[in-house]
Amino acid sequence: MERVPLLTNFAMDSQQRLCLLLVGLSEIKALLARARYESLCQRILVRHQLDGLDRDELDPYLQDRLRRAGCELPLFEASAVQALFQASRGLPRQVNRIARFALCAAACDNARQASADHVSQARAEVIL
């Protein structure tokens, strides 16, 4: 981001010379809020932030991810899905990480489905 002002300081108000797509984590929003990048922020035309999944979206999301991996079996108990939602706040990247660790914990216990306890164990692993 240190070189961004160099890209935006040449006659941007009179001519459109650059189309830039900024994609990143939520930290980019805080970075762009700095006074140093005020002129860049004034030129941003569209902003969009992806929010986490709603609770009712989590079951279909998990089923889709499992189906893409070649599994049609329900690998999470209902209580595990609720615990997964609470632990991940619905953020897909966190859902994926915690779910993967929960499935590993369930496999170590020779369980057919991941339980809320497996999700709790997974959450502890992810936080480390």
Side-chain angles (χ1 to χ4, degrees):
M1 287 296 286
E2 296 301 321
R3 296 183 184 165
V4 172
L6 296 175
L7 296 174
T8 60
N9 283 342
F10 54 89
M12 285 295 283
D13 293 329
S14 62
Q15 299 176 11
Q16 291 185 1
R17 295 182 184 236
L18 177 68
C19 178
L20 185 63
L21 179 63
L22 299 175
V23 179
L25 300 174
S26 56
E27 289 83 16
I28 199 168
K29 189 176 180 181
L31 183 66
L32 290 173
R34 295 180 184 172
R36 177 180 190 166
Y37 300 115
E38 182 178 355
S39 64
L40 175 62
C41 280
Q42 292 171 356
R43 291 173 173 88
I44 295 176
L45 300 177
V46 177
R47 296 172 191 256
H48 183 73
Q49 180 175 334
L50 294 176
D51 295 324
L53 301 168
D54 291 332
R55 172 60 184 90
D56 58 333
E57 295 174 314
L58 188 56
D59 285 311
Y61 177 78
L62 289 171
Q63 291 170 5
D64 181 64
R65 297 289 294 184
L66 289 169
R67 188 173 57 255
R68 288 173 187 250
C71 180
E72 297 290 335
L73 301 172
L75 295 183
F76 292 93
E77 295 175 358
S79 61
V81 176
Q82 181 61 33
L84 184 57
F85 178 73
Q86 291 173 347
S88 67
R89 300 178 317 276
L91 299 173
R93 185 180 301 161
Q94 289 287 49
V95 168
N96 296 343
R97 291 184 68 212
I98 296 170
R100 185 176 69 242
F101 279 96
L103 290 173
C104 289
C108 288
D109 288 346
N110 292 320
R112 291 188 169 271
Q113 290 184 313
S115 67
D117 289 336
H118 294 127
V119 172
S120 294
Q121 292 172 19
R123 184 173 183 223
E125 288 292 322
V126 168
I127 290 174
L128 294 176

